[in-house]
Amino acid sequence: MRVWQVLSIVLVTSMDGATSIYEGLRGHQVWSVNGDTDGLVSQLRLRGMVDVLHHSGPTQKLRVSPEFASDVLANFQDAGLEYHAVIGDLAAFLQEEENRDRSVRRESEDSCTAHRCSAPLHAQYMTFEQMEWYLKQVNETSPSKISVSSIGRSVLGRDLWLAHLKATNSTGRSVWIEAGIHAREWISSAVALHIIHKLLYDDSVMADVDVYVVPMANPDGYVYTWTNDRLWRKNRRPVANSSCDGVDLNRNWDDHFGVGASSHACSEIYDGLFAFSEPETQALRDAMQKEKDNLILVLSLHSFGQTLLYPWGWSATKEAPGTLQLIAVGKIFVEAIRAATGRHYSVKNSARDLYVASGTTDDWAMAVLGTKYVYTVELRDQGFTGFLLPAAEIVPCSVEVWHGLQEVIKHIIKEETTSL
Ligand SMILES: [Zn+2]
């Protein structure tokens, strides 16, 4: 039985004990919906009335706030849609998760402090401050291998850190890895930090390329997921004349802006007033543009779904240049993952196989920078725990991405060398 279902039984009746950090989700429910052939859920999502947590085949899981529950219900009943609540109260659900996590936590709470943080944590997710402490420490202790710099500041003034892992045998090629652009996708930043750590001590093929990693592209949103709303996705931009905050940073890039996004501020996929309206996407854009001529691969890490998505996201009918090669290299990535941990990932087209999404990092990198290999990587899992992936999966998930990354880079370098 899936976790969502198990917890629904327990938690629909368990309303006690939630701490204040989950109060923002008090009364929010998760509904499972079947048979939406007319795209009613997409329409409700664009209007900011539901948050699509997961969809797999004909079944979708949605977060519905108490504010909109009766309207959404009426819409479903009018359309004759089959639905049921799988989680009755998200605040209680998250408290249960935290209690369970705490009971199995093996690492000491103070193993990463402002005075000592020599490695990313293995058994728990790191706070934004802990991420900063780790980056600061490695920057000071390994200056020949890594250079950490701030490429800009978020809406609320937090630094956007870029880690440059220096090639030992530079070939003028570089790789870009972005993580954490969606606040609730904690595993993406955890994996990015472990990749940084691996790169510091590895002498493999990765030593031939410069690797740039932005482990936390949306620090304000991430901090908010620790303090107010574990399922927050966007940044923390206040929106004028709206009761809702936040811009979806992965809809804010300047490539077919607005085609597959929402102009409604309350939507989880609100794209902002104009392309690159946000300081976070501006900083990422400017830093990536400096590496424009060297980039051989761009990965945007997300969760969840165990899928490698290739462009375009903005159109389900237009084919991206080099699609066959994108698929072939994607398959190298997923085969390396299978060999490393046995996990099954698949290679899919963003728009056709998932949903149309415009203004994304990967579409922009391909369309504007001209990077040949760009992917959005949906990490673990396949919906069993979704955004609430247990911390015990940080290490195996990092291991599989590390193997996938190595094999793909080997292949791209070989391809470039043989075509010279
Ligand atoms: Zn995401």
Side-chain angles (χ1 to χ4, degrees):
M1 191 183 284
R2 294 188 164 231
V3 168
W4 292 113
Q5 293 167 310
V6 174
L7 289 166
S8 70
I9 295 162
V10 177
L11 295 174
V12 166
T13 53
S14 169
M15 300 286 286
D16 302 325
T19 57
S20 60
I21 68 164
Y22 299 124
E23 279 311 307
L25 291 168
R26 176 67 67 202
H28 286 232
Q29 300 189 337
V30 176
W31 293 4
S32 178
V33 184
N34 280 313
D36 180 24
T37 49
D38 295 332
L40 174 61
V41 169
S42 292
Q43 293 165 34
L44 296 176
R45 187 188 197 206
L46 286 171
R47 285 153 61 193
M49 292 171 68
V50 298
D51 175 17
V52 178
L53 297 177
H54 181 47
H55 72 127
S56 163
T59 303
Q60 305 194 57
K61 289 214 175 63
L62 317 172
R63 175 165 59 117
V64 184
S65 69
E67 183 189 357
F68 291 117
S70 56
D71 283 350
V72 174
L73 177 65
N75 273 280
F76 285 179
Q77 285 175 335
D78 287 349
L81 282 186
E82 186 192 320
Y83 79 95
H84 64 281
V86 292
I87 293 179
D89 183 72
L90 263 171
F93 171 91
L94 292 166
Q95 186 62 49
E96 287 281 328
E97 282 283 295
E98 186 181 295
N99 291 346
R100 187 181 311 112
D101 243 27
R102 192 176 287 145
S103 69
V104 298
R105 198 171 281 170
R106 286 162 291 161
E107 262 169 326
S108 126
E109 291 275 353
D110 62 1
S111 62
C112 179
T113 69
H115 307 292
R116 184 174 62 90
C117 190
S118 54
L121 298 178
H122 286 68
Q124 64 193 76
Y125 289 102
M126 295 166 81
T127 63
F128 179 61
E129 287 73 20
Q130 287 177 318
M131 292 179 190
E132 291 192 303
W133 295 334
Y134 167 68
L135 293 171
K136 182 168 176 276
Q137 178 156 348
V138 290
N139 192 45
E140 284 169 2
T141 54
S142 307
S144 63
K145 294 180 174 176
I146 187 170
S147 168
V148 180
S149 58
S150 173
I151 56 170
R153 286 178 183 268
S154 65
V155 167
L156 300 180
R158 293 188 174 91
D159 280 304
L160 301 161
W161 296 109
L162 173 67
H164 172 201
L165 284 302
K166 301 169 189 173
T168 35
N169 316 305
S170 183
T171 53
R173 299 178 176 95
S174 64
V175 171
W176 186 274
I177 301 173
E178 167 212 278
I181 201 165
H182 284 149
R184 62 195 178 186
E185 299 166 11
W186 287 11
I187 187 62
S188 67
S189 293
V191 165
L193 290 163
H194 280 268
I195 296 289
I196 289 173
H197 204 64
K198 200 79 179 129
L199 286 163
L200 277 172
Y201 300 105
D202 186 79
D203 289 323
S204 69
V205 64
M206 302 299 289
D208 295 340
V209 292
D210 285 279
V211 183
Y212 294 86
V213 186
V214 178
M216 177 41 69
N218 179 10
D220 297 344
Y222 186 71
V223 169
Y224 196 69
T225 64
W226 280 77
T227 57
N228 294 67
D229 178 351
R230 174 64 184 83
L231 290 178
W232 188 257
R233 167 183 167 99
K234 303 185 283 183
N235 74 352
R236 291 296 302 155
R237 160 78 69 195
V239 180
N241 304 317
S242 172
S243 58
C244 298
D245 298 327
V247 169
D248 182 347
L249 297 174
N250 205 36
R251 298 293 183 277
N252 189 243
W253 298 69
D254 192 9
D255 181 60
H256 295 87
F257 177 78
V259 172
S262 174
S263 55
H264 194 301
C266 292
S267 173
E268 292 293 337
I269 51 171
Y270 173 54
D271 53 12
L273 287 177
F274 48 88
F276 290 128
S277 57
E278 303 308 294
E280 294 91 348
T281 46
Q282 290 166 16
L284 292 166
R285 171 197 65 195
D286 295 347
M288 289 174 86
Q289 268 170 336
K290 288 182 189 156
E291 275 304 300
K292 179 181 189 299
D293 297 331
N294 301 327
L295 287 174
I296 57 169
L297 174 69
V298 170
L299 297 180
S300 178
L301 303 183
H302 289 249
S303 75
F304 50 92
Q306 294 175 200
T307 311
L308 214 63
L309 297 167
Y310 61 88
W312 301 117
W314 68 271
S315 168
T317 51
K318 293 272 191 300
E319 196 166 89
T323 288
L324 288 178
Q325 286 164 296
L326 280 165
I327 296 170
V329 168
K331 285 182 175 168
I332 290 171
F333 195 93
V334 305
E335 178 52 33
I337 285 178
R338 193 200 58 74
T341 62
R343 275 289 161 132
H344 176 73
Y345 280 60
S346 45
V347 182
K348 293 181 178 173
N349 173 254
S350 286
R352 202 176 53 242
D353 299 328
L354 194 61
Y355 43 70
V356 174
S358 65
T360 58
T361 306
D362 56 352
D363 272 12
W364 181 85
M366 173 166 275
V368 178
L369 299 184
T371 309
K372 186 172 175 184
Y373 292 107
V374 305
Y375 300 93
T376 290
V377 186
E378 299 285 1
L379 300 167
R380 292 186 181 203
D381 57 8
Q382 289 181 304
F384 189 76
T385 55
F387 301 119
L388 309 173
L389 190 74
E393 303 218 28
I394 291 172
V395 171
C397 192
S398 302
V399 166
E400 63 202 17
V401 173
W402 171 249
H403 280 84
L405 187 60
Q406 282 182 295
E407 290 307 311
V408 162
I409 288 174
K410 254 188 241 173
H411 175 87
I412 297 174
I413 290 177
K414 191 169 156 202
E415 179 186 278
E416 289 196 343
T417 311
T418 52
S419 66
L420 283 177

